[in-house]
Amino acid sequence: PKRKREVTAEEAELWAKEEGLLFVEASAKSGENVEEAFERATRDILDKVRRGVFDDDRVRVSAPPPS
């Protein structure tokens, strides 16, 4: 049986935007938008690393240091 939504997609998207979060509606059951969600999250994280949003010396985006 199909369950009633607790929160609409529009509400969730608005909340995510207000909080500065990524929003992708996806379904683990059907697989719909799952790959897109991971791809968008990956691009978002990489962009933030490149912009220096994360203050962590362990993160490297450029070529690895010489051995």
Side-chain angles (χ1 to χ4, degrees):
K2 191 170 184 173
R3 292 178 50 169
K4 181 182 174 211
R5 287 178 172 263
E6 296 290 326
V7 177
T8 67
E10 292 80 16
E11 277 182 286
E13 188 170 11
L14 178 60
W15 181 83
K17 187 175 184 178
E18 289 172 351
E19 296 296 320
L21 301 171
L22 174 67
F23 175 81
V24 179
E25 187 169 23
S27 169
K29 185 174 180 179
S30 71
E32 183 179 357
N33 287 338
V34 172
E35 188 171 336
E36 178 186 346
F38 277 98
E39 288 176 1
R40 286 183 59 191
T42 302
R43 284 192 298 269
D44 185 59
I45 292 166
L46 184 57
D47 177 60
K48 288 177 179 175
V49 168
R50 287 182 172 146
R51 290 187 292 127
V53 172
F54 302 119
D55 186 20
D56 188 337
D57 291 337
R58 296 173 297 174
V59 176
R60 299 279 182 260
V61 179
S62 58
S67 305

